[in-house]
Amino acid sequence: MGKTLVYPKKESNTANRYKHRATYDLGAIHSIINSSQVLHVSFNPGPSDPFPAILPMIGQMASFDYPSAGIGEPLDCYLHGYVSSRIMNLARASEGDGLPICVAASRVDGLILSLTPNSHSYNYRSAILHGYAKLVTDEAEKLWAMERITNSVLAGRWEHSRVPPDRAEMSSTVILKVKVVDGSGKIRDGGVSDERKDTDNAEVTDRVWTGVVPVWETFGQPVPSATNKVEGVPEYMTSYIASMNAQNRDYAESAVGIPLPKEEQH
Amino acid sequence: MGKTLVYPKKESNTANRYKHRATYDLGAIHSIINSSQVLHVSFNPGPSDPFPAILPMIGQMASFDYPSAGIGEPLDCYLHGYVSSRIMNLARASEGDGLPICVAASRVDGLILSLTPNSHSYNYRSAILHGYAKLVTDEAEKLWAMERITNSVLAGRWEHSRVPPDRAEMSSTVILKVKVVDGSGKIRDGGVSDERKDTDNAEVTDRVWTGVVPVWETFGQPVPSATNKVEGVPEYMTSYIASMNAQNRDYAESAVGIPLPKEEQH
């Protein structure tokens, strides 16, 4: 077993609540990012606007320089966008390290229904990265990132569609590369956890149902377009959908059974 | 029919890409926020930190001053958090209007699989709000917001659990109230949309499957805790789970069939 890499703890990424749920492990954080269909990316539009902006984007963590890097090794975050969008213009105009951004991913795995609203929670996985974003200018790296991002939507889709992108498509698409400065994750699993004041109160325990409702994302039956000419649904699609459905459901259901750590308060 | 209220268009909330997908309609935006299990909330931690922060939070739009206000009327955004979290400390210390924040919600309704990666997309609903956040200090308003937020996790849960919160619970919980300054939403539905260069190319159309994979969130069978004393799953829970499952699936499947607007390019 090799060592486990962790992001350095700084004020900006250190949990001060439910510390036992926090992770700084690169593998855990990168896995949450890479299995999320949508990332929320925050940036500051400029000195005249007091509000940070958030953009939903698609992205993947990977290393172009070290393509064999595993999920637990240092990776860059590649984000897909349109050439004239505001975040791309800001990244293009940014000086020095690039545009400071925050990337977030969260998914809910279950509703934790305990005796009193205060101890209600979700089973969830969330990850945050801070880093500096710059446009990818190398064509080979851009194409490589586009392939990874397309295949994150549906594994194998890139090679089963019309590729490579033509010149117009390459120039209308922009890929942002985020050099990660720090990151953190939070994972909550297990069941309910109530306080003695409620668990000792028969009036409450006799009437309040407690437990977990597992929650997961389901992929439905593919609906062919009116112009589709391929008979049946290709095997790479059916197998991806079946394996994601099984994996999502298994995770949500098995998360319920994981014993709570001793320090868990609720 | 009364008039439909819309958020004012400003530079910060005006779409410059896929304009026909954009909405400024209060009802559409508020509905996306209120049906999201997790909101992503962005704020700036302070002058020494170049990165905006993002926090996953639970929240609801509602009006305490005008409780009868409908979903399409001006509402405040109430966010739930812990008393000593960074965003709460910043909001507590903020002067004037409050802490400038951005609230985002996104959900994926389907994978749009077209002939070439460039025209791939999601069916999705996303909403963004900008506003100024302050702590709710009025106890009645705080309790009222806590009830709404708990019931957004599972309808009817508040009244079926141990309420009201006691003094310790009330003081460890903080509710942020966001006065909304502007907002916008984006909704993409329909099927694939490809360009002539690909639809006229039999080599491509003969081998690339096109269509939509609907995606929706599923609530599973409730798992009672080891200490649960209530026999069976209460009706308010089974009916909520059944109706959410039907509603989520119906939306994702019917979104596929909505014809694309004329101006849709891909």
Side-chain angles (χ1 to χ4, degrees), chain B residues 3-79:
Chain B
K3 64 178 174 175
T4 300
L5 295 182
V6 296
Y7 282 113
K9 284 198 199 187
K10 301 178 183 176
E11 201 190 339
S12 58
N13 73 330
T14 299
N16 59 18
R17 172 93 168 133
Y18 297 127
K19 289 185 172 55
H20 61 282
R21 294 182 189 164
T23 178
Y24 303 92
D25 181 79
L26 270 65
I29 295 166
H30 297 168
S31 295
I32 295 168
I33 300 274
N34 279 7
S35 66
S36 293
Q37 293 181 306
V38 173
L39 305 174
H40 284 87
V41 181
S42 182
F43 59 97
N44 280 308
S48 65
D49 190 341
F51 301 107
I54 299 182
L55 203 58
M57 298 181 85
I58 306 183
Q60 282 288 292
M61 316 261 341
S63 173
F64 182 70
D65 297 328
Y66 302 95
S68 68
I71 193 77
E73 293 183 79
L75 300 174
D76 300 307
C77 182
Y78 289 92
L79 300 168

Side-chain angles (χ1 to χ4, degrees), chain A residues 37 40 42 44 82 106 114-116 120 122 157 162 166 197-198 209-210 212 214 216 218 220 223 225, chain B residues 17 37 40 42 44 82 106 114-116 120 122 157 162 166 197-198 209-210 212 214 216 218 220 223 225:
Chain A
Q37 292 182 308
H40 285 87
S42 181
N44 280 307
Y82 183 64
S106 309
S114 37
L115 292 171
T116 188
H120 277 59
Y122 285 142
R157 185 63 186 172
R162 194 271 290 154
D166 63 25
K197 64 186 173 193
D198 289 311
W209 187 95
T210 62
V212 182
W216 67 88
T218 299
V223 181
S225 71
Chain B
R17 172 93 168 133
Q37 293 181 306
H40 284 87
S42 182
N44 280 308
Y82 182 64
S106 309
S114 38
L115 292 172
T116 190
H120 277 59
Y122 285 142
R157 185 65 187 171
R162 194 271 293 154
D166 62 25
K197 64 185 173 193
D198 289 312
W209 187 94
T210 62
V212 182
W216 67 86
T218 300
V223 181
S225 71

Side-chain angles (χ1 to χ4, degrees), chain A residues 13-14 33 38 64 81 142 153 158 178 206 212 227:
Chain A
N13 74 329
T14 301
I33 300 275
V38 173
F64 182 70
K142 186 169 164 182
V153 171
W158 179 267
V178 186
D206 283 351
V212 182
T227 52

